[in-house]
């Protein structure tokens, strides 16, 4: 679904706005409604690619939450802090690397790597819509 499509303009958007304004002001229900509507909108346009976007979003949220908790404890230095940051960065960047750069390796003539990637049809993977935006 595109923003300029009749389905969005005359069906999806009015329903989202009507429900949003029917909910009590200053309530969390409004935010939850907009989150649900955003997920439906993205799923409508991207389908199963929503799994990658959800993984990046949830990883980022919990990573930020853990960082916030640790900042409250005022832990200083140490390799544990660096390891947690490295694990978070790998978890958040993994879907971007997986969908954006791994399929390009399938086009190279590297016997071991290209054989594995051709067996899983890596060259025909589609890049999830907005993965770079959500990742960064």
């Amino acid at each position: 679904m595109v923003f300029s499509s009749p389905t969005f303009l005359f069906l999806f958007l009015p329903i989202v706005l009507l429900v949003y304004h029917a909910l009590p002001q200053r309530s969390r229900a409004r935010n939850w409604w907009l989150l649900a509507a955003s997920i439906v909108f993205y799923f409508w346009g991207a389908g199963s690619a929503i799994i990658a976007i959800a993984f990046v979003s949830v990883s980022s949220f919990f990573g930020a939450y853990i960082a916030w908790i640790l900042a409250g404890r005022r832990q200083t230095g140490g390799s544990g802090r660096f390891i947690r940051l490295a694990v978070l960065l790998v978890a958040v960047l993994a879907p971007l690397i997986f969908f954006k750069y791994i399929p390009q390796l399938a086009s190279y003539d590297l016997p071991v790597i290209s054989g594995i990637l051709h067996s899983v049809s890596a060259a025909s993977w589609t890049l999830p819509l907005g993965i770079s935006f959500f990742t960064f």
Side-chain angles (χ1 to χ4, degrees):
M1 175 172 22
V2 186
F3 289 121
S4 60
S5 71
T7 306
F8 177 80
L9 290 173
F10 300 114
L11 182 66
F12 187 79
L13 183 62
I15 290 171
V16 169
L17 290 176
L18 284 172
V19 172
Y20 177 79
H21 287 292
L23 294 170
Q25 283 187 343
R26 299 180 189 248
S27 71
R28 290 187 182 199
R30 282 183 159 193
N31 291 338
W32 285 108
W33 170 250
L34 289 180
L35 177 65
S38 298
I39 291 170
V40 168
F41 177 78
Y42 188 87
F43 184 73
W44 197 322
S48 64
I50 198 164
I51 294 168
I53 298 300
F55 177 78
V56 170
S57 299
V58 169
S59 298
S60 299
F61 174 80
F62 283 113
Y65 184 71
I66 290 168
W68 178 68
I69 289 173
L70 294 176
R73 293 182 187 168
R74 299 180 196 255
Q75 291 182 349
T76 57
S79 63
R81 190 179 215 177
F82 175 76
I83 291 171
R84 285 189 296 264
L85 178 62
V87 168
L88 174 65
L89 288 176
V90 167
V92 170
L93 291 175
L96 179 68
I97 293 168
F98 184 74
F99 284 106
K100 198 166 188 176
Y101 299 111
I102 297 288
Q104 292 177 359
L105 289 177
S107 65
Y108 295 130
D109 193 25
L110 303 170
V112 175
I113 296 174
S114 64
I116 294 169
L117 295 177
H118 282 299
S119 68
V120 293
S121 303
S124 64
W125 292 347
T126 56
L127 184 67
L129 185 65
I131 187 105
S132 297
F133 173 77
F134 278 96
T135 300
F136 293 115

